[in-house]
Amino acid sequence: MEQKPMNILCVAAHPDDVEILCAGTLARYSQAGHTVTIAVFTSGNMGDAQIPPAELAFIREKETREAAAILGAKLIWAGIDDEHVFPNQEQRRIMIDILREADPDVIFTHSPNDYHPDHRYVGQLVFDSYFQKGLPHIPNQQRPACRFGQAQVYYMDNLGGIGFLPTEYVDITAVFEIKMQMLACHRSQVVAMQELANTDLLGMVEVQARFRGLGAGCRYAEGFTRLDAYQRGLTHRILP
């Protein structure tokens, strides 16, 4: 049976997280005719030792919009200060509005055991906001409630794959160059990762995709774990 068009949402903490962990899968959804929304929760404004935060936020948003345009994806830019994500009431309201705007059938976000607190708390905010997105009387929201029905949540891989055991894979071999083109848009991130962390970002992503491909039986793959919880279960596969 042919799959109906779906709304696909990836909620990530920082500019470039989407490209590192999920862009190949989003590219496959986009090519299949589904609507893709990328939500970046922080501005990445603390991620450089030299560039002032306000200037860096502007740079990071511009780079993220360039990357999203490659997919034709909609971008939601929340603009929270980098390194300042917390699972509090104010930020939950922001996350509820993000989920309402995207009205997702599928949500990708960070794993609970990720290495970075911003990542972990974004994932928690997605979990905590899941039901509120469809409840019309939540106070102080900017957007009306969306569908209350099921939206399947998938947790993305951890950087380096550390402590993460995928339960489902997506073969991204045919769209791997798109993933890398999107990542290359994040020029300030590539430079900062090299200078601050002595990390070749493009090389790291290629190695991890190849490693996940070994587990998936293909050249390049992205790995995920499905969140199995009440009203979020499926009897069929919806990953591409």
Side-chain angles (χ1 to χ4, degrees), residues 28 170-177 218-221:
R28 287 201 53 184
V170 175
D171 182 349
I172 63 166
T173 306
V175 294
F176 182 70
E177 289 307 316
C218 58
R219 178 67 180 173
Y220 294 114

Side-chain angles (χ1 to χ4, degrees), residues 13 43 59 84 152 237:
S43 66
I59 293 170
H84 288 75
Q152 185 59 55
R237 178 181 167 94

Side-chain angles (χ1 to χ4, degrees), residues 3 6-10 17-38 71 73 106-109 152-157 164 166 168-180 182 205 209 212-213 216 218 220-225 237-240:
Q3 193 177 55
M6 296 185 295
N7 294 336
I8 311 300
L9 172 65
C10 183
D17 286 338
V18 171
E19 288 73 18
I20 293 170
L21 301 171
C22 194
T25 299
L26 298 183
R28 287 201 53 184
Y29 273 123
S30 180
Q31 289 181 353
H34 302 291
T35 299
V36 175
T37 300
I38 292 171
L71 284 189
V106 184
I107 304 169
F108 296 96
T109 193
Q152 185 59 55
V153 177
Y154 286 92
Y155 290 127
M156 301 183 293
D157 210 341
F164 190 89
E168 296 190 49
Y169 295 91
V170 175
D171 182 349
I172 63 166
T173 306
V175 294
F176 182 70
E177 289 307 316
I178 295 175
K179 174 184 174 79
M180 297 304 282
M182 293 176 66
V205 169
R212 291 307 185 197
C218 58
Y220 294 114
E222 290 171 341
F224 305 93
T225 59
R237 178 181 167 94
I238 57 173
L239 292 180

Side-chain angles (χ1 to χ4, degrees), residues 140-195:
N140 302 313
Q141 296 301 139
Q142 301 302 307
R143 293 190 170 272
C146 65
R147 294 173 295 165
F148 188 77
Q150 294 185 2
Q152 185 59 55
V153 177
Y154 286 92
Y155 290 127
M156 301 183 293
D157 210 341
N158 294 340
L159 268 71
I162 298 171
F164 190 89
L165 183 61
T167 56
E168 296 190 49
Y169 295 91
V170 175
D171 182 349
I172 63 166
T173 306
V175 294
F176 182 70
E177 289 307 316
I178 295 175
K179 174 184 174 79
M180 297 304 282
Q181 288 170 17
M182 293 176 66
L183 182 59
C185 291
H186 294 276
R187 292 171 291 276
S188 68
Q189 297 276 76
V190 172
V191 172
M193 286 291 286
Q194 188 65 58
E195 292 180 348

Side-chain angles (χ1 to χ4, degrees), residues 60-106:
R60 293 277 162 91
E61 182 176 359
K62 181 175 183 293
E63 292 172 345
T64 303
R65 292 191 181 279
E66 289 177 9
I70 291 174
L71 284 189
K74 179 179 180 179
L75 177 65
I76 299 174
W77 184 262
I80 298 296
D81 280 341
D82 187 11
E83 311 296 331
H84 288 75
V85 179
F86 301 101
N88 58 29
Q89 186 177 43
E90 178 186 357
Q91 294 190 21
R92 186 190 289 192
R93 287 190 185 124
I94 294 170
M95 186 63 74
I96 292 170
D97 279 333
I98 288 172
L99 298 183
R100 289 179 172 188
E101 183 173 349
D103 190 15
D105 297 286
V106 184

